[in-house]
Amino acid sequence: MMLSLVISAISVIPWTLAFMFSTNDLEAVGSSRFPILEVYQQALNNRSGATFLAVWLLVVYFGSIISATAATGRLTWAFARDNGLPFSPTLAKIHPRLQMPVNATCAASVFVAVYGAIYVGSTTAFNSFISMSILSLNVTYAIPQGIVFFRGRDKILPSTRHFNLGKILGPFCNIFTVLWVSLYTVLFCLPTFLPTEVASMNYVSVVVAGVVLIITIMWFSGKNKTFSGPVSYLTLNDPLLLRRERVVLMSFDPDHKHGAPRGSPSPAR
C-alpha cells in the first residue's frame, strides 16, 4: 500500500509540472468541454497526438473504474451487513456461486450512474455533490481524532500500538486536525463569487444539510436499534497476539445467510 503511494507521488509530480509549463491559455482550458484534451493540444500542438493521449487516458480510467466498482460494491456490502443501509438484508447477500456481493455491486453501480446523470442536468449541482463528498471525507478523518482527544488517548488507543506519537505530538495532531477541518468546512461552504447569483451560488451547505437530514431521519426511524457496527479484523498469524488475546472466530450470522466475499479475511469480534 505504501509503495503504491510512493509510486503515485513520483509519477504525479512530473505530470503536474508538465501540465503547468505546457498550458499557455488557461481561459481556453477553463471554457473547454474536454479540458484535458485542450491541455494536450496546447502541449503538443498536434491534434492526432492530443487525441491519442486522451483516448489512452480513457483506457486507463476504464481499468480504474473496474477496481473502483468492485471496491464500491464491497463497501456497500459491508455497510449493509451491519444493517446500516435501506434494504440491508438484500444488499448483504453473497452470491452462492460467484462468492461476491452481486446485489450490492449492482446497486452501487446504478446509484453511481444516476449520480453521474446529475451532471447532464446541472453542472452546479453536480459540483456541489462532488465538493460535499470531499468535505465529508475530511470530516470523517477529524471525528475519530476528536473522540480520541476528548475521551482520552490512553483510554482508547492500545498501549502496544506500533505507531505512537507520544503525549505531546499526539494531542497536538488531534487538536490541529479538528480545528483545521472545522475551519475548512466553513470556508468550503462559502460562496466563491461576489455578488452571489443563482447560477454561481455554492450549494455545498445545502447538500450537506440535506444529507445530514436524511441520515438523521434514517437513524431515528430504526437504524439506531438495528445497526450493529463494523466487524473488527484481526491478524491471526501474529504469535504475540495469539498468546495475549483469546480470539473467537464467528461467521457473520448464525444462519450463514451472509458470508464474506471471496478474498475477504475471516471476521473476529
Side-chain angles (χ1 to χ4, degrees):
M1 180 178 178
M2 295 302 299
L3 183 60
S4 64
L5 295 177
V6 173
I7 295 175
S8 300
I10 294 175
S11 59
V12 76
I13 292 176
W15 178 270
T16 304
L17 291 175
F19 268 37
M20 293 173 61
F21 284 99
S22 300
T23 305
N24 49 48
D25 189 350
L26 294 178
E27 293 185 1
V29 175
S31 60
S32 175
R33 292 184 176 273
F34 198 3
I36 188 64
L37 183 60
E38 178 63 28
V39 172
Y40 286 149
Q41 176 65 28
Q42 294 184 17
L44 301 177
N45 197 23
N46 184 285
R47 187 174 298 275
S48 299
T51 304
F52 172 79
L53 291 178
V55 172
W56 179 252
L57 190 62
L58 292 177
V59 174
V60 173
Y61 274 132
F62 180 77
S64 302
I65 287 173
I66 296 177
S67 60
T69 301
T72 303
R74 280 158 173 75
L75 288 174
T76 304
W77 165 81
F79 202 17
R81 176 203 59 196
D82 300 331
N83 205 13
L85 293 174
F87 311 107
S88 288
T90 301
L91 297 176
K93 289 183 178 179
I94 298 297
H95 194 280
R97 184 172 62 86
L98 300 177
Q99 289 297 299
M100 64 173 294
V102 175
N103 294 348
T105 303
C106 292
S109 300
V110 171
F111 179 83
V112 170
V114 174
Y115 184 79
I118 298 176
Y119 186 83
V120 180
S122 173
T123 56
T124 302
F126 180 80
N127 292 332
S128 298
F129 277 99
I130 295 296
S131 300
M132 184 272 299
S133 302
I134 300 173
L135 178 61
S136 300
L137 183 64
N138 285 273
V139 172
T140 58
Y141 291 151
I143 291 177
Q145 299 204 46
I147 294 174
V148 167
F149 176 77
F150 287 108
R151 294 191 61 181
R153 294 173 57 86
D154 297 335
K155 296 180 181 179
I156 296 180
L157 299 178
S159 59
T160 57
R161 61 188 183 273
H162 297 286
F163 188 70
N164 191 341
L165 294 178
K167 296 183 179 180
I168 297 177
L169 185 59
F172 171 79
C173 292
N174 296 147
I175 296 174
F176 179 82
T177 300
V178 173
L179 294 178
W180 172 254
V181 172
S182 299
L183 176 63
Y184 176 82
T185 301
V186 175
L187 296 178
F188 219 71
C189 295
L190 294 177
T192 54
F193 297 99
L194 290 176
T196 303
E197 299 178 356
V198 176
S200 61
M201 172 61 184
N202 187 358
Y203 293 97
V204 176
S205 58
V206 179
V207 175
V208 170
V211 171
V212 171
L213 179 62
I214 294 174
I215 294 175
T216 304
I217 293 175
M218 290 179 57
W219 178 255
F220 287 104
S221 62
K223 290 300 179 183
N224 57 339
K225 299 178 181 179
T226 59
F227 180 65
S228 59
V231 176
S232 298
Y233 293 96
L234 301 178
T235 303
L236 300 182
N237 56 0
D238 188 350
L240 296 178
L241 176 63
L242 293 176
R243 288 198 296 264
R244 187 175 64 250
E245 302 286 347
R246 181 184 177 186
V247 180
V248 180
L249 294 180
M250 301 174 62
S251 60
F252 287 119
D253 61 291
D255 297 329
H256 300 283
K257 294 180 180 179
H258 312 308
R262 183 178 298 169
S264 298
S266 301
R269 291 188 184 272

